[in-house]
Amino acid sequence: MQVTKRVSRLLFSAAFLTVMAGCGNNNNLNLNEQAAQETTAPSTAHQTHWSYEGDTSPEHWAELDQLFATCNTGTAQSPVNILHDKVQADEHLSPVKVEYSPSPVSIVNNGHTIQVNINNKDNKLTIEGKTYLLQQLHFHLPSEHEVDGKHAEMELHLVHKSKDGSLAVLGVLINAGSENTALNQLWSVLPAEESAEEIVIDGAFDPAGLLPADLHSFRYQGSLTTPPCTEGVQWIVLENPVTWSAEQIGQFAAIFPHDNRPVQPLGSREIGSDE
Ligand SMILES: [Zn+2]
């Protein structure tokens, strides 16, 4: 019943308070948003409600709040469709260097996705000599990026930030197959309902357990895939997917049946690869 009540309240808010309604848990931002706020926007007294359905779905995001205008007017938006034939091998791109280690983490259902916050500064990603620290990771279903016009079943985003505040997101495509045993540590406490409260995971969690062995990647300049759709994000989409069991994917789908932004025009951008 609590879920039903919350949904009713949100529908009421959206319908009668126009776009100024809160998402229910104002302190409970997707870290994409947190990162964007830290780098581009002052904190606001309320958070505009947005979603993947109905009147607040992706095609309406820019109308919901002037802070979301870039979702419509931007020219370097994410996600995109990655066409293998048009990817340019680029010798100037360094291999992706990931230095992750077992870390204290907490997990939260923020109403848009399941997010895992990394509670230390020990997880590094380095490309082209620039180092970024892992802030959080979260999931989309189906994948946000397409490869040759096809979605993977899900996509993992690992959001990193450099000292100068710039963002690099590592995207990992997820298909059904063998179980990912590292995921069980998180999924054993998977929060089914939206809440401002983070659940602290017992022991340490190693984000490296969610990556494929081969880190060859597609690279391009894009944006956050959630409002405010801020541009200037370095995207690194791994060429090799990982597998989760159908049950592991099903557990997420039971909470978020779909939470992906559709692909955006590539425009004049090029997608490179580090091989
Ligand atoms: Zn994401």
Side-chain angles (χ1 to χ4, degrees), residues 30 32 138-140 144 157 159 169 225-226 235:
N30 179 317
N32 273 358
H138 62 266
F139 307 91
H140 298 274
E144 295 208 297
H157 287 162
V159 181
V169 184
T225 66
T226 55
W235 274 93

Side-chain angles (χ1 to χ4, degrees), residues 26-262:
N26 291 351
N27 296 325
N28 188 16
L29 304 176
N30 179 317
L31 211 147
N32 273 358
E33 297 164 80
Q34 285 182 11
Q37 286 196 342
E38 282 163 21
T39 52
T40 63
S43 63
T44 50
H46 66 272
Q47 295 300 316
T48 300
H49 174 67
W50 57 269
S51 76
Y52 295 97
E53 302 273 3
D55 290 345
T56 54
S57 64
E59 62 267 34
H60 297 293
W61 286 350
E63 306 157 13
L64 301 177
D65 190 316
Q66 59 186 11
L67 293 173
F68 299 174
T70 306
C71 301
N72 183 38
T73 59
T75 55
Q77 291 287 292
S78 294
V80 297
N81 178 22
I82 299 165
L83 292 170
H84 260 119
D85 284 355
K86 298 204 170 164
V87 171
Q88 304 278 333
D90 186 343
E91 62 185 14
H92 301 297
L93 298 177
S94 67
V96 177
K97 184 179 176 189
V98 169
E99 298 166 278
Y100 293 164
S101 57
S103 300
V105 303
S106 49
I107 188 168
V108 65
N109 175 335
N110 63 21
H112 303 298
T113 186
I114 298 295
Q115 180 169 306
V116 177
N117 292 319
I118 311 297
N119 299 323
N120 67 11
K121 295 182 175 176
D122 295 343
N123 295 281
K124 295 180 194 166
L125 177 146
T126 303
I127 49 169
E128 284 82 69
K130 185 168 182 176
T131 296
Y132 302 80
L133 299 182
L134 181 62
Q135 312 288 311
Q136 53 103 334
L137 58 92
H138 62 266
F139 307 91
H140 298 274
L141 184 150
S143 69
E144 295 208 297
H145 287 93
E146 296 178 15
V147 177
D148 294 334
K150 293 197 183 80
H151 287 281
E153 296 214 34
M154 287 185 65
E155 185 169 338
L156 160 66
H157 287 162
L158 300 116
V159 181
H160 305 74
K161 193 157 83 167
S162 69
K163 267 192 198 145
D164 66 11
S166 56
L167 298 178
V169 184
L170 182 64
V172 183
L173 301 171
I174 302 164
N175 286 319
S178 306
E179 182 185 51
N180 180 318
T181 52
L183 184 70
N184 291 337
Q185 196 180 354
L186 303 176
W187 259 216
S188 64
V189 290
L190 193 59
E193 290 195 32
E194 181 182 347
S195 170
E197 270 181 51
E198 298 182 15
I199 301 166
V200 175
I201 303 291
D202 281 342
F205 174 75
D206 190 348
L210 301 177
L211 303 181
D214 183 323
L215 298 181
H216 279 106
S217 67
F218 303 115
R219 312 274 189 88
Y220 77 97
Q221 292 294 319
S223 74
L224 302 180
T225 66
T226 55
C229 307
T230 311
E231 296 186 343
V233 175
Q234 171 67 58
W235 274 93
I236 306 155
V237 179
L238 298 187
E239 293 187 32
N240 289 281
V242 296
T243 64
W244 290 7
S245 69
E247 187 184 354
Q248 289 176 319
I249 293 170
Q251 284 176 270
F252 184 88
I255 304 171
F256 295 101
H258 82 95
D259 66 340
N260 69 304
R261 185 190 196 193

